[in-house]
Amino acid sequence: MNTPAAQVPGIHEDYDVLVLGCGEGGKFAAWSLARAGQRVAVIERKYIGGSCPNIACLPSKNVIHSAKVASLLGRGEEFGVMTSDPVIDMSAVRERKRKMVTGLVEMHLKNFETSGTELIFGSGQFVEPKVIQVTSADGSIRLLRGKKIIISTGSRARVEPLPGMVEAAPLTHIELLELDTVPEHLVVLGGGFVGLELAQAMRRFGSRVTIIDRNPRLAPSEDEDVSAALQQLCADEGIPLVLKSVVTRVEGRSGDAVKLTVTNGSTEDLQQGTHLLVASGRLPNTSGIGLDLAGVEVTERGHIQVNERLETTAPDVFAVGDCAGSPHFTHIAFDDFRIVRDNILGGNRVTTHRQLPFCLFTDPEFARVGLSETEAKKEGVAYRKATVPMAAALRTRTLSETRGFMKVLVAADSDRILGITVFGVGAGEIMAVVQVAILAGLPYTVLRDAVFVHPTLPEGLIPLFTAIPPLGTSK
Ligand SMILES: Cc1cc2nc3c(=O)[nH]c(=O)nc-3n(C[C@H](O)[C@H](O)[C@H](O)COP(=O)(O)OP(=O)(O)OC[C@H]3O[C@@H](n4cnc5c(N)ncnc54)[C@H](O)[C@@H]3O)c2cc1C
């Protein structure tokens, strides 16, 4: 329970809009509402710009790119570029990443300055409806009252409450991206987006890597061909997968030696390594911030309860991004911003039926927008399907990156594109081309008959869409 409202002393400072947490949705809302003439403040305890530029998307993709360079150097001979034993210097990898983050933070500060948004450093918590108390690092306290409030507090890595887990001091993505040495043997708990991306990167820097996951296959909600492709990728990279397995106990300390007891229901096994990375889910940052005092209810899973306008159960209080249970992607948190901004400015914008494109940044990438086969079958949507190997896009052959496939679903009774799945080089970019066609309601024949530059990756969409079976044939 939090401090009751009546006991909170002090003078309230008044704002039109207060944003709690400098996450993606919150910061963009703040800047644009301030530019529209409102008095706006953002309360942030640590990361100027939130997770994405500091500790999540962009730093991870930066480090992943260094790992790609390491991989290419390892394949030097194949390209006719002879390199003598490349050496990985993780402090230089980290330095490149840190430099990027510094630049991003500067960019954010500029936006605060030019938009006239006040950035208040400190930890915020509601003390009564629409009033947030901010405690700074030096212990000083401010009481802020907002006519409107946007909660944008994000999420954090879930550390499973297992015996020995806390004592093992496992790495989360935050510490892993700050390593200045390559772990000798990294055990990754969780084969989701974060686990897979970072596992592959560390493997390419020379670490032994093992992934443990409770599911029987990677990407269990995706089509089986996607799971098989990801599993083959791990096998080829030398990353053993311990699937359908649950960790029951952890011994040792990450950075030194860790021993995990793992069970698959019938048998028990031990997995050992030098470092442990937890990547087995996210928890919303919604506890201890006085939501009960603000009249803001949370769901069973701890996310802030919102409607399709991203309004919480308290009047004039909105929630965006991971804390609101929106799909955990920066581009979705950004779209949440547009919804809340428009609703605050008197419009009516909703989350209903928005597209949910996503990309897993392994090498190669896996990206999808629209329906997968699994979803189409579940929803009873009849479809026509075409699948071609990535090698059908001749560009992949020039790059020696022919791994993977493209798969598209088209309606059985019309030429409407239902969804595209790409596992291959440039998957995110290829997907975006088809995404635009879906947004525009274009029939698939427009892409099939388009003139794309040769040799580019989108050119591969021509053989893909040409392979669609004629109308009247469906699955
Ligand atoms: C390793 C990793 C890689 C990822 N890669 C991608 C990717 O490639 N593409 C993608 O789309 N998504 C990616 N994601 C997901 C993406 O980072 C999140 O979905 C996104 O950052 C969520 O943004 P948000 O605005 O909800 O919260 P956040 O960006 O987490 O912001 C919340 C902010 O609130 C602050 N805060 C919390 N509580 C308080 C408080 N009480 N007082 C003051 N401040 C507070 C926090 O310090 C934080 O800065 C990745 C995530 C991880 C972990």
Side-chain angles (χ1 to χ4, degrees):
M1 251 317 183
N2 295 284
T3 321
Q7 294 177 10
V8 180
I11 301 162
H12 297 150
E13 300 170 55
D14 286 306
Y15 290 84
D16 295 316
V17 182
L18 283 178
V19 178
L20 180 57
C22 193
E24 180 78 3
K27 71 194 181 197
F28 276 99
W31 298 335
S32 67
L33 292 167
R35 286 199 169 100
Q38 309 215 9
R39 185 173 187 220
V40 186
V42 174
I43 301 144
E44 170 57 45
R45 63 184 175 197
K46 191 159 186 190
Y47 299 116
I48 298 172
S51 301
C52 168
N54 287 283
I55 49 165
C57 324
L58 296 170
S60 62
K61 267 78 255 181
N62 181 293
V63 168
I64 285 169
H65 189 66
S66 285
K68 173 71 180 179
V69 173
S71 157
L72 285 174
L73 284 176
R75 294 171 60 192
E77 254 183 76
E78 192 185 328
F79 295 99
V81 181
M82 304 309 160
T83 48
S84 54
D85 274 350
V87 174
I88 305 296
D89 177 353
M90 281 307 283
S91 24
V93 169
R94 185 179 66 176
E95 199 43 43
R96 187 178 86 89
K97 181 215 69 170
R98 283 184 175 175
K99 219 163 139 189
M100 179 198 72
V101 172
T102 303
L104 291 167
V105 168
E106 280 165 12
M107 192 184 88
H108 279 79
L109 288 173
K110 195 97 198 136
N111 276 324
F112 276 98
E113 192 188 315
T114 55
S115 64
T117 308
E118 190 181 343
L119 176 59
I120 299 175
F121 263 113
S123 215
Q125 68 177 108
F126 286 93
V127 286
E128 57 183 278
K130 302 227 193 132
V131 178
I132 296 178
Q133 173 179 296
V134 185
T135 311
S136 318
D138 64 6
S140 61
I141 285 178
R142 284 171 72 176
L143 280 178
L144 315 176
R145 180 166 37 214
K147 286 188 193 130
K148 301 226 169 5
I149 294 189
I150 301 169
I151 309 171
S152 175
T153 49
S155 64
R156 63 188 184 281
R158 176 171 167 268
V159 181
E160 283 188 58
L162 296 170
M165 181 61 101
V166 172
E167 295 79 358
L171 306 167
T172 69
H173 56 100
I174 303 175
E175 295 79 30
L176 184 116
L177 291 168
E178 276 290 294
L179 286 179
D180 59 1
T181 53
V182 178
E184 194 183 314
H185 186 172
L186 177 69
V187 179
V188 179
L189 189 49
F193 274 55
V194 175
L196 279 176
E197 290 181 5
L198 297 180
Q200 186 187 39
M202 287 300 150
R203 177 74 191 127
R204 288 180 164 194
F205 289 135
S207 176
R208 281 179 65 197
V209 177
T210 306
I211 298 178
I212 304 172
D213 196 288
R214 64 175 68 240
N215 292 301
R217 58 183 172 102
L218 294 179
S221 52
E222 294 300 322
D223 295 343
E224 286 194 17
D225 48 9
V226 171
S227 301
L230 287 170
Q231 286 168 205
Q232 189 58 51
L233 175 66
C234 288
D236 293 346
E237 301 256 332
I239 302 175
L241 298 173
V242 182
L243 296 175
K244 220 176 163 182
S245 296
V246 176
V247 176
T248 54
R249 180 186 179 78
V250 184
E251 290 164 78
R253 202 172 165 83
S254 179
D256 178 16
V258 283
K259 195 155 71 174
L260 282 74
T261 307
V262 176
T263 174
N264 65 7
S266 49
T267 56
E268 230 177 45
D269 197 10
L270 280 183
Q271 293 294 332
Q272 307 199 45
T274 54
H275 292 68
L276 175 61
L277 169 69
V278 284
S280 56
R282 311 278 306 164
L283 290 175
N285 293 326
T286 54
S287 53
I289 56 170
L291 293 179
D292 49 341
L293 300 176
V296 176
E297 285 171 27
V298 294
T299 65
E300 253 175 36
R301 302 186 64 186
H303 295 112
I304 294 172
Q305 196 178 308
V306 289
N307 62 17
E308 67 284 0
R309 285 168 48 87
L310 296 173
E311 291 161 333
T312 69
T313 48
D316 294 324
V317 180
F318 300 80
V320 290
D322 290 7
C323 71
S326 294
H328 286 17
F329 296 109
T330 290
H331 45 277
I332 295 298
F334 181 80
D335 190 55
D336 284 359
F337 133 66
R338 295 191 283 219
I339 291 166
V340 166
R341 173 202 58 197
D342 288 5
N343 291 338
I344 284 181
L345 294 176
N348 184 23
R349 200 159 167 165
V350 294
T351 52
T352 326
H353 301 311
R354 68 176 161 190
Q355 275 187 330
L356 177 54
F358 59 81
C359 185
L360 167 72
F361 290 91
T362 44
D363 179 28
E365 299 166 359
F366 155 56
R368 177 162 73 82
V369 66
L371 291 183
S372 65
E373 283 191 81
T374 312
E375 288 172 344
K377 283 177 185 148
K378 207 163 135 196
E379 292 171 26
V381 177
Y383 60 87
R384 292 177 282 157
K385 169 179 97 165
T387 307
V388 296
M390 282 307 290
L394 301 184
R395 179 65 174 164
T396 64
R397 298 174 189 240
T398 69
L399 301 170
S400 293
E401 302 277 4
T402 51
R403 179 189 287 268
F405 64 91
M406 292 183 273
K407 176 166 72 174
V408 68
L409 305 188
V410 168
D413 57 355
S414 76
D415 287 344
R416 190 163 62 93
I417 305 167
L418 299 174
I420 180 156
T421 298
V422 185
F423 175 68
V425 60
E429 264 76 24
I430 298 169
M431 171 195 68
V433 174
V434 179
Q435 184 187 355
V436 172
I438 296 174
L439 278 171
L442 295 177
Y444 84 87
T445 48
V446 171
L447 288 178
R448 182 195 64 190
D449 300 338
V451 179
F452 287 114
V453 169
H454 171 75
T456 58
L457 292 170
E459 189 191 24
L461 294 173
I462 296 174
L464 177 66
F465 282 105
T466 302
I468 290 283
L471 265 172
T473 51
S474 72
K475 293 247 170 190

